[in-house]
């Protein structure tokens, strides 16, 4: 029995699995920035194709990395007020480096740097860490979880007929839930009831004038008689 043995082995030992998921996480994050001039540039951003089992094991790792990036975002925003726009190693930058403002920036930025080091320890790729903290963290600021989705593909993998799936970041190419027919009918009926009723007052006035004229002519004929 596999008690307390969480996760799939996928026919690999521990170090091989760790290296494989590290490479897959870096590949998925790097697809957010597409370089069209690159030789093997991805066709769709924020998406990779793999097997269903690997996608399900990769998803928790990506979710935790994005959570780390979101935790570092408020610390970086707080440290921005103490930062300087001077070029590094310039006289102005050296003056800022020796001032009290740099100490405040260093203390405010320390937690964000700690989160960056933890993410780098998992991925070992500077570009992926930069995309994670500068782009994905801002994209999912208002989202509390569920940053990725897994979609099964109809075509199986050639060679071993493995079931394939795509894992991608949410927020793009999201499906819009169609409205029900009953709701559309209710909206049309409400619109019909809200239309103002047309009152025909002019014809009624004309009928009253005609009746008064007829009564006057009858009185004139009786007087003549």
């Amino acid at each position: 029995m596999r008690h307390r043995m969480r996760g799939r082995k996928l026919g690999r030992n521990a170090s091989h699995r760790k290296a494989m998921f590290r490479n897959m996480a870096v590949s998925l994050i790097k697809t957010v920035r597409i370089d069209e001039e690159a030789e093997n540039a991805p066709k769709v951003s924020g998406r990779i194709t793999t097997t269903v089992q690997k996608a399900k094991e990769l998803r928790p790792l990506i979710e935790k990395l994005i959570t780390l990036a979101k935790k570092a975002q408020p610390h970086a925003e707080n440290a921005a007020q103490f930062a300087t726009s001077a070029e590094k190693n310039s006289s102005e930058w050296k003056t800022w480096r020796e001032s009290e403002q740099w100490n405040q920036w260093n203390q405010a930025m320390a937690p964000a740097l700690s989160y960056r080091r933890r993410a780098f320890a998992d991925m070992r790729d500077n570009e992926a860490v930069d995309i994670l903290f500068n782009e994905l963290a801002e994209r999912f600021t208002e989202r509390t979880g569920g940053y990725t989705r897994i979609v099964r593909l109809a075509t199986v993998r050639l060679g071993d007929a493995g079931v394939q799936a795509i894992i991608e970041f949410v927020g793009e190419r999201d499906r819009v839930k169609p409205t029900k027919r009953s709701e559309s009918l209710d909206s049309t009926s409400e619109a019909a009831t809200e239309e103002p009723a047309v009152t025909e007052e002019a014809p009624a006035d004309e009928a009253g004038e005609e009746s008064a004229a007829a009564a006057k002519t009858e009185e004139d004929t009786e007087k003549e008689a």
Side-chain angles (χ1 to χ4, degrees):
M1 296 183 182
R2 299 182 68 251
H3 294 301
R4 302 175 66 86
M5 299 287 288
R6 182 179 62 84
R8 299 172 176 84
K9 291 187 176 181
L10 301 173
R12 296 166 174 82
N13 56 23
S15 61
H16 192 178
R17 282 196 307 273
K18 185 177 181 179
M20 180 186 66
F21 287 126
R22 175 185 295 168
N23 293 334
M24 291 177 65
V26 170
S27 299
L28 177 59
I29 293 173
K30 278 188 174 182
T31 56
V32 175
R33 293 180 185 172
I34 296 181
D35 186 7
E36 298 180 355
E37 298 180 357
E39 184 178 356
N40 296 323
K43 297 181 180 179
V44 182
S45 64
R47 172 191 292 182
I48 60 172
T49 303
T50 181
T51 60
V52 176
Q53 292 77 13
K54 290 179 182 177
K56 289 182 178 180
E57 293 295 320
L58 176 64
R59 188 175 187 179
L61 176 60
I62 297 294
E63 302 272 339
K64 292 176 182 178
L65 289 173
I66 295 176
T67 302
L68 278 179
K70 288 179 61 178
K71 288 181 179 180
Q73 193 174 13
H75 298 287
E77 293 176 354
N78 186 26
Q81 60 182 334
F82 306 111
T84 180
S85 58
E87 186 178 357
K88 190 174 182 180
N89 294 329
S90 62
S91 59
E92 184 181 354
W93 183 86
K94 291 179 180 179
T95 304
W96 171 77
R97 181 68 172 77
E98 296 174 356
S99 63
E100 181 65 23
Q101 186 178 358
W102 180 85
N103 292 328
Q104 296 176 348
W105 175 86
N106 189 22
Q107 294 178 1
M109 197 67 182
L113 293 177
S114 176
Y115 288 126
R116 279 181 175 266
R117 293 190 182 101
R118 289 172 59 182
F120 181 79
D122 291 336
M123 294 189 292
R124 296 292 178 180
D125 192 280
N126 288 322
E127 184 181 358
V129 172
D130 183 63
I131 296 172
L132 178 66
F133 281 80
N134 294 337
E135 297 185 20
L136 293 177
E138 294 179 0
R139 181 191 298 186
F140 300 117
T141 302
E142 303 297 332
R143 196 177 183 91
T144 57
Y147 312 113
T148 58
R149 60 169 163 259
I150 299 173
V151 181
R152 290 174 180 259
L153 299 178
T155 57
V156 296
R157 187 170 58 183
L158 295 177
D160 60 352
V163 182
Q164 291 182 305
I166 59 174
I167 177 171
E168 63 180 357
F169 295 108
V170 300
E172 297 181 1
R173 299 175 295 276
D174 293 340
R175 295 181 181 178
V176 180
K177 188 176 181 181
T179 57
K180 295 181 180 179
R181 185 182 176 187
S182 59
E183 294 178 357
S184 60
L185 292 176
D186 294 339
S187 61
T188 53
S189 62
E190 290 177 359
T193 54
E194 289 178 357
E195 292 181 357
V198 179
T199 57
E200 298 181 355
E201 297 178 354
D205 295 340
E206 292 176 358
E209 292 176 357
E210 291 178 356
S211 61
K216 187 176 181 180
T217 52
E218 290 179 357
E219 291 178 357
D220 295 340
T221 51
E222 289 177 357
K223 289 178 180 179
E224 291 176 356

